[in-house]
Amino acid sequence: MPLLKNGEWILDTWRFYADDQPIPSARPKIVTLARLQGDDGEFLFHCGCNLGVRLESHEKVEELEPWLERLQLIALVFPKFVDGRAFSSAAMLRGHYGFKGEIRAVGNVLVDQYPFMRRVGFDAFEVEPGRAQDSWKKARIGIGLAYQYDDTSEAEATAVWRARRGVRPALAAE
Amino acid sequence: MYRYDEFDARFVAERTAQFKDQVERRLRGELTEEEFRPLRLMNGLYLQLHAYMLRVAVPYGVLSSRQMRQLAMIAERFDKGYGHFTTRQNIQYNWPRLEDVPLILEALAEVEMHAIQTSGNCIRNVTTDQYAGVAADEIEDPRPHCELLRQWSSLHPEFSFLPRKFKIAVTGAPFDRAAVKVHDIGLRMHRNEQGLPGFEVIVGGGLGRTPMVGKTIRGFLPADELLPYVTAIMRVYNRFGRRDNKYKARIKILVHEIGVDAFSELVEAEFAKGDHGEAIELAAAEVARIEAYFAPPAYEALAEKDPAHLAHLFENKAFARWVRHNVAQHKVPGYSIANISLKPTGGIPGDATADEMRLVADLAERYSFAEIRVAHEQNLVLPDVATRDLWALWQALDAAGLATPNLNLVSDIIACPGMDYCALATARSIPIAQAISRRFADLSRQEDVGDLHINISGCINACGHHHVAHLGILGLEKKGVESYQITLGGSADENAAIGQLIGPGFAAHEIVDAVEAVVRVYLDGRRGQEERFLDFFRRVGVKHFKEAIYATA
């Protein structure tokens, strides 16, 4: 599946394993929340490679609390593009929990949602094959300006209210 | 009023350019209608029964003369010469061609307007009291906070794919003209003991198929905590609101199903998680910046009473009648709030022609500091008229047929577009409103009846707000025939109530008689004229009407 990360198309080194698939020991893997919470959950962290979890849109980020510091990736599922719950999940992961790993959008994600996703903290996008990859790169243009004070895509969007005050966040004291 | 700075202008320009590109791709066939749908909805473009409909946002109902003239130009050049003011304080164009829509959006952007978020499952245009900033009973002007909410909710990254649409209404006055208790979030301004302004936060009101009066989850929220608190509400809704059934997806269903206490706990827990220091600071600075735009205009120091005005009142009955019904008290001595009814006898509620829009723009420029308001009752307001100018204003309005003195009377009817335009409607609304208006054309009779709000919806989605009318009419379809139900006793003010059904529906040719019968029951039973229709209803109850209406049928 094509993966867009930080504006570039890259080779995806991660692989998702459904609950009925056996897990190999040495490669970055994404598992379900159920598997993480199961009897072998703790064991998954001890095989010396990166671990990620896939959260369905109805599953709550609070469930991940015990493992957040040890997870490198959280994949948030959009079963349909109109199901916007993952936007809140991403915003909470970056905001409340300060999660620094990769937050990946998977499922039915539309190119027109890209600016919104970037701004709540998604940094990787699994795009269904056949979708025009060019238009995904162009979608970056749509970010432009943001009125929201809690925007997390500082590098790409101009936070209007801060700009009006002439304050650059990291340099406010100078 | 608020003016765009470079950022606001760029923001709208970028969106306009983006949608222009999307429309061109659609016209070239690069986008299917299915793919185009969510994109056009984000820009207020609906596909209706006969044509596209473009809904333009009028932020919290405030328009300048310049903007009104541009709306007139659009009506003339791209529509059939008129526009339709809605219960959301917006304006709709019912006949634009798809290829013209980018041009219309560019014309709107020229006057700092847009159609963003007038549709779709996002936070819609924030609405408020049409007398905001000038009402005599106001605590503080709510418009700076409306503008704050407008900016904050514009393309909000987290809340643009909500379970369902989301409407926020704000009032700064104790007498609620903004129907805040029947919105997803209603904000009522209060002062605390230290004299600081804040908001009572009301959640889960709404009309539609499941009408509900909102519930208070915070009695007093300091004004500068508004955005973090609203964010907490939105987040709880976005995460926990139902998505399995679009008819159960509004926040009112969530609040109802889990209970207001549980809902409130979720919100407070979410609110307590964050450190809102930065949000409060930025919002406070932004509100201070916005407030400067809403500084009062250069009012003259005038006496409360103008002798010439009093003489005209005495000499001209028609003028006196218009003043009695359509003019409201202004907070500044010597000034008045003038309502322009868009409900002439037999007219289409809320419709205005390009010529009428231009005339209103001119009169606002001459008499009201070039400012106009759109009321959710589908009327227009000139908020800042010197009382001594009312006579000249009235003459100009009267000459153009815009001085119908019927505010809050039987013919001041709110009606949705109904089957004449809308793809969802199950019955016609406009012809019923027109028929009632003609039946009660006699103004003396309307005055005798007094305060009686009639609202008409052409389907259960209730865009015509029939649930909160003193006399509500709901048009349904029964076996291919239109059937109109009557509800009584609803109210949209600070004592909001949902109307009660009086019984089986009436055919289209019976409904006007039925309305008249309801009015007759009231006139026969009231304790004098000072007992208003709503007071009478609350005293006698729905059963009294039911027996009287159906016994004679």
Side-chain angles (χ1 to χ4, degrees):
Chain A
M1 187 97 54
L3 185 77
L4 183 69
K5 188 163 184 186
N6 300 322
E8 299 297 328
W9 294 104
I10 59 163
L11 188 67
D12 189 4
T13 54
W14 291 81
R15 195 176 149 193
F16 171 67
Y17 294 91
D19 285 350
D20 55 359
Q21 289 174 305
I23 293 184
S25 54
R27 79 171 278 177
K29 50 191 157 288
I30 303 170
V31 299
T32 66
L33 176 64
R35 205 152 192 170
L36 199 59
Q37 289 175 328
D39 294 341
D40 297 335
E42 201 53 37
F43 172 76
L44 293 169
F45 288 99
H46 298 294
C47 59
C49 61
N50 292 339
L51 188 68
V53 68
R54 176 169 163 146
L55 210 60
E56 299 300 325
S57 68
H58 66 275
E59 292 170 336
K60 305 292 183 232
V61 286
E62 287 89 338
E63 305 274 352
L64 297 177
E65 269 174 43
W67 303 285
L68 271 181
E69 285 180 11
R70 291 181 288 163
L71 286 166
Q72 272 78 34
L73 178 150
I74 297 169
L76 299 175
V77 180
F78 289 81
K80 290 178 292 188
F81 77 87
V82 291
D83 184 343
R85 285 178 282 192
F87 288 102
S88 284
S89 299
M92 291 174 75
L93 285 169
R94 296 289 190 219
H96 291 333
Y97 295 108
F99 180 71
K100 297 279 190 283
E102 176 176 317
I103 300 183
R104 175 182 290 202
V106 303
N108 180 211
V109 290
L110 296 189
V111 62
D112 303 275
Q113 293 177 309
Y114 177 81
F116 295 118
M117 292 181 175
R118 284 295 284 147
R119 289 166 49 196
V120 292
F122 285 96
D123 55 0
F125 306 85
E126 269 185 33
V127 180
E128 284 168 35
R131 293 269 170 191
Q133 299 191 2
D134 270 358
S135 60
W136 273 86
K137 285 192 83 169
K138 275 194 210 148
R140 291 162 53 79
I141 299 162
I143 292 185
L145 298 169
Y147 287 108
Q148 293 74 28
Y149 54 84
D150 46 2
D151 203 274
T152 53
S153 61
E154 200 61 52
E156 289 179 76
T158 303
V160 173
W161 292 355
R162 279 196 198 97
R164 278 180 179 148
R165 301 186 74 193
V167 176
R168 280 168 297 168
L171 303 171
E174 292 176 11
Chain B
M1 61 186 283
Y2 185 70
R3 296 300 311 266
Y4 281 8
D5 70 354
E6 60 190 288
F7 295 108
D8 300 311
R10 211 176 100 204
F11 183 84
V12 171
E14 279 177 10
R15 296 301 296 178
T16 304
Q18 187 183 38
F19 189 57
K20 187 178 184 180
D21 172 61
Q22 290 162 345
V23 168
E24 280 163 4
R25 277 155 63 203
R26 172 74 189 109
L27 290 170
R28 284 198 301 265
E30 289 169 29
L31 287 173
T32 65
E33 171 54 27
E34 194 191 355
E35 288 168 323
F36 182 56
R37 191 173 172 277
L39 308 180
R40 66 172 164 76
L41 285 178
M42 279 188 187
N43 290 281
L45 189 63
Y46 287 76
L47 194 55
Q48 291 290 50
L49 266 185
H50 313 291
Y52 280 109
M53 179 272 278
L54 181 69
R55 183 181 291 151
V56 176
V58 179
Y60 35 94
V62 180
L63 281 173
S64 67
S65 289
R66 179 167 170 253
Q67 290 173 326
M68 186 64 109
R69 285 196 191 100
Q70 192 81 329
L71 295 178
M73 185 281 286
I74 291 167
E76 211 150 58
R77 192 165 149 211
F78 300 110
D79 203 293
K80 295 184 175 181
Y82 57 90
H84 180 76
F85 290 98
T86 77
T87 57
R88 301 269 314 135
Q89 300 182 303
N90 291 327
I91 184 168
Q92 292 177 183
Y93 293 106
N94 283 305
W95 307 98
R97 299 184 317 154
L98 179 58
E99 47 269 52
D100 288 337
V101 172
L103 294 173
I104 299 175
L105 295 181
E106 279 171 15
L108 290 169
E110 277 172 26
V111 294
E112 308 178 1
M113 295 184 77
H114 59 70
I116 300 165
Q117 284 174 220
T118 57
S119 55
N121 294 336
C122 53
I123 302 172
R124 302 287 187 90
N125 185 27
V126 175
T127 53
T128 192
D129 185 353
Q130 63 268 34
Y131 299 166
V134 295
D137 62 341
E138 188 167 272
I139 297 164
E140 256 187 37
D141 187 351
R143 290 173 300 169
H145 282 94
C146 292
E147 174 58 26
L148 184 80
L149 286 166
R150 182 193 75 81
Q151 294 186 20
W152 167 81
S153 63
S154 291
L155 303 189
H156 196 293
E158 189 178 341
F159 306 129
S160 290
F161 295 90
L162 297 167
R164 201 73 180 82
K165 59 187 168 184
F166 203 92
K167 301 173 182 176
I168 303 176
V170 191
T171 175
F175 181 77
D176 177 14
R177 283 169 289 263
V180 303
K181 288 194 173 175
V182 287
H183 282 76
D184 296 286
I185 293 180
L187 300 169
R188 281 189 84 188
M189 200 180 283
H190 295 285
R191 275 191 202 286
N192 66 5
E193 285 166 7
Q194 288 77 46
L196 293 171
F199 293 101
E200 176 185 351
V201 183
I202 301 159
V203 173
L207 301 173
R209 338 189 145 213
T210 322
M212 287 186 191
V213 174
K215 313 208 172 36
T216 299
I217 58 167
R218 259 289 188 113
F220 184 86
L221 177 76
D224 55 6
E225 293 176 19
L226 182 62
L227 292 186
Y229 197 80
V230 170
T231 300
I233 296 173
M234 298 308 304
R235 185 170 282 171
V236 167
Y237 172 54
N238 193 37
R239 301 181 72 210
F240 296 95
R242 285 181 62 173
R243 291 174 184 267
D244 58 325
N245 177 344
K246 80 173 207 177
Y247 300 119
K248 295 187 187 300
R250 295 288 287 269
I251 195 173
K252 63 190 171 189
I253 303 293
L254 174 64
V255 173
H256 179 73
E257 285 184 352
I258 70 173
V260 66
D261 293 336
F263 180 83
S264 174
E265 273 170 39
L266 285 171
V267 171
E268 293 294 339
E270 179 61 36
F271 183 63
K273 272 185 203 166
D275 161 21
H276 306 301
E278 198 202 2
I280 288 170
E281 203 186 307
L282 276 170
E286 191 53 31
V287 168
R289 189 187 72 87
I290 294 167
E291 271 173 349
Y293 290 100
F294 292 104
Y299 293 120
E300 276 178 70
L302 297 172
E304 180 67 60
K305 290 190 178 8
D306 181 74
H309 172 70
L310 294 175
H312 290 307
L313 282 181
F314 188 72
E315 288 159 10
N316 190 311
K317 272 192 174 165
F319 174 60
R321 183 176 253 159
W322 180 76
V323 170
R324 190 156 62 242
H325 296 293
N326 289 31
V327 174
Q329 205 193 342
H330 197 285
K331 67 178 182 185
V332 175
Y335 281 85
S336 294
I337 302 169
N339 286 277
I340 301 172
S341 168
L342 295 181
K343 324 281 178 69
T345 301
I348 297 175
D351 268 17
T353 65
D355 285 339
E356 288 169 340
M357 288 186 229
R358 270 190 289 263
L359 176 71
V360 170
D362 291 346
L363 293 173
E365 215 152 55
R366 206 172 315 153
Y367 299 117
S368 183
F369 299 97
E371 193 176 308
I372 303 141
R373 308 289 178 81
V374 183
H376 85 264
E377 292 89 348
Q378 303 179 279
N379 293 317
L380 298 177
V381 181
L382 300 188
D384 283 307
V385 182
T387 304
R388 62 156 188 241
D389 291 335
L390 285 172
W391 170 248
L393 172 66
W394 174 77
Q395 287 177 302
L397 289 171
D398 193 42
L402 283 172
T404 314
N406 63 345
L407 216 74
N408 294 318
L409 299 181
V410 174
S411 61
D412 185 8
I413 300 169
I414 294 176
C416 72
M419 200 109 100
D420 294 288
Y421 293 100
C422 179
L424 301 174
T426 46
R428 293 166 300 157
S429 316
I430 292 170
I432 304 299
Q434 290 172 309
I436 294 170
S437 166
R438 279 192 287 265
R439 180 71 66 90
F440 286 90
D442 177 2
L443 280 161
S444 302
R445 185 171 169 218
Q446 288 194 49
E447 275 192 327
D448 181 40
V449 175
D451 256 23
L452 206 179
H453 299 171
I454 298 181
N455 299 352
I456 308 174
S457 302
C459 80
I460 50 174
N461 293 308
C463 296
H465 296 186
H466 68 277
H467 295 299
V468 288
H470 301 164
L471 193 168
I473 298 174
L474 166 62
L476 298 169
E477 183 245 294
K478 293 260 163 73
K479 294 177 189 150
V481 180
E482 289 163 310
S483 169
Y484 293 88
Q485 292 183 344
I486 289 181
T487 52
L488 297 177
S491 168
D493 62 14
E494 67 281 9
N495 302 309
I498 304 300
Q500 299 169 44
L501 187 64
I502 64 163
F506 299 90
H509 68 274
E510 298 168 332
I511 182 66
V512 183
D513 290 334
V515 169
E516 209 168 15
V518 168
V519 172
R520 178 55 51 201
V521 171
Y522 158 64
L523 291 176
D524 288 347
R526 70 182 178 186
R527 292 173 176 159
Q529 215 180 350
E530 54 281 6
E531 188 177 45
R532 299 169 312 153
F533 179 87
L534 194 57
D535 305 327
F536 174 74
F537 174 86
R538 285 177 179 161
R539 177 164 65 83
V540 303
V542 71
K543 199 157 159 268
H544 176 83
F545 278 94
K546 189 180 278 193
E547 287 166 1
I549 303 293
Y550 291 97
T552 55

